[in-house]
Amino acid sequence: MASASPEEDQSVTEVTDNYETTCWGCGLHILLPSCTSIFKCGWCGAITDQNKKKCDDKCVRWRLLRDRCFLCVVVTFMLLVIFGGVWAIYPIVLSLSLLCGVFHSTIIAILSIATITFFSLAAFRCAGTPPTILWGSYPTVGKGDLENYTFCQYCSKPKSPRAHHCRSCGKCILDMDHHCPFIGNCVGASNHRNFIFFLISAVSSTIYISIMAAYASTCIWPPLKYSLGRSNGMSQQYPAWRVINEIIVAFLGSALLLSSRGLVLLYLFISSLSLQIGLIVLLWQQLYYIYQGKTYLSNLSSPTDNEEEKKDFQNLVRFFGFQYPVTRLLPTFHVSRKRHVK
């Protein structure tokens, strides 16, 4: 028999070089293949991404200054709307009756206090601090203590799976929804409920202001003057576009005759109407994410539905702080079973 050639007996084997690295969570040495850049520690459960390097954010101060400017603008606008509305609307309301003036004064006081209070809680309260946990050495870190934790390259400390680093605030936020420049703060676990209450009170306030401004404007608006009329005692037919054009011209002409109070009322109506549209959209989006059991950032990272996150009305109930399900507040009817006597 013919013997096989040496080239046919040889087989090529690929050898992968391993390297030793250290887990940032527990400090244990781990042997990994050279192609591995992201790994999870089998002891503490921490996730290490060696592609991420130490980051130094030098623009935090400028972002904080930007947020403070937005915050000052929002506070100034709120105060102008409140005091401008009282100055422009309530002399007209008080002229109707004293009871009507007291009623509307109570409503505006409640709405103003609620809006400013919830705005202050959402803006000046800490959005949410991640829990402090031991890390770095094997004796102090138990098995699974850092499950799915990652290392924040900005804060140089562990970051829980529910936390996200905000580059505008310069720190990690627990259950971060988004960073809102208009309150100069993040929306997270500690102030998310106050932010929702602020949106509800702001929407209610803008609806009330737009209605009252429209009513007060009709009381002091100058009469409209039309050039279209009757000729020779006969009524004439005009095309629709000409009638609409005449109404617009008459409306703008009468607006030029408005007093300072009327101009303030016109500004309050336009600003409150446009503002409430944006606030209603934002409030609806926030409530929908809460109903889904998600936040805005978690929806961006995982837009598909997760089995652990179920759409349920109880998500809204738990978010607003009800300890027990709503069904416990409803009346229950017990049906007694029939007993057969032998």
Side-chain angles (χ1 to χ4, degrees), residues 82 90 102-118 197 201-202 204-205 208:
I82 293 173
Y90 281 93
V102 172
F103 174 74
H104 287 285
S105 299
T106 305
I107 293 179
I108 194 62
I110 294 174
L111 292 176
S112 300
I113 293 173
T115 304
I116 294 176
T117 300
F118 289 123
F197 285 143
S201 59
S204 304
S205 300
Y208 173 78

Side-chain angles (χ1 to χ4, degrees), residues 311-322:
K311 298 180 180 180
D312 191 5
F313 182 74
Q314 294 298 328
N315 292 331
L316 292 170
V317 176
R318 285 189 294 268
F319 176 83
F320 287 106
F322 294 99

Side-chain angles (χ1 to χ4, degrees), residues 153-169:
Q153 300 294 339
Y154 294 95
C155 301
S156 298
K157 62 180 182 181
K159 182 174 67 175
S160 66
R162 295 170 52 194
H164 182 82
H165 183 85
C166 177
R167 298 182 62 184
S168 297
C169 296

Side-chain angles (χ1 to χ4, degrees), residues 21 31 41 46 57-58 65 81 91 93 175 232 242 250 262 276 286 296 311 315:
T21 185
L31 192 64
C41 180
D57 197 351
K58 300 180 180 179
L65 179 61
V81 169
V93 175
D175 287 342
N232 300 326
R242 187 175 179 184
Q276 69 182 261
Q286 289 288 310
Y296 176 73
K311 298 180 180 180
N315 292 331

Side-chain angles (χ1 to χ4, degrees), residues 19 32 35-40 47-52 150:
Y19 71 99
L32 297 172
C35 58
T36 304
S37 59
I38 303 175
F39 63 91
K40 182 176 181 180
I47 300 175
T48 302
D49 188 358
Q50 296 182 343
N51 293 327
K52 294 183 178 180
T150 56

Side-chain angles (χ1 to χ4, degrees), residues 163-198:
H164 182 82
H165 183 85
C166 177
R167 298 182 62 184
S168 297
C169 296
K171 57 184 177 181
C172 291
I173 304 297
L174 184 63
D175 287 342
M176 179 178 172
D177 184 84
H178 69 285
H179 181 86
C180 181
F182 297 102
I183 64 174
N185 196 6
C186 284
V187 178
S190 299
N191 65 345
H192 198 176
R193 190 185 308 169
N194 295 323
F195 182 73
I196 296 298
F197 285 143
F198 162 67

Side-chain angles (χ1 to χ4, degrees), residues 6 13 28 96 107 111 126 128 186 225 230 232 235 251 284 302-303 309 314:
T13 59
L28 294 178
L96 300 177
I107 293 179
L111 292 176
C126 180
C186 284
K225 297 180 180 180
R230 299 172 180 266
N232 300 326
S235 60
F251 181 80
W284 175 260
S302 57
E309 299 173 347
Q314 294 298 328

Side-chain angles (χ1 to χ4, degrees), residues 3 28 90 124 128 132 153 156 179 199 212 222 227-228 244 263 277 330:
S3 60
L28 294 178
Y90 281 93
F124 302 109
T132 304
Q153 300 294 339
S156 298
H179 181 86
L199 292 180
M212 294 304 299
S227 61
L228 299 178
I244 296 174
L263 293 175
I277 296 174
L330 301 177

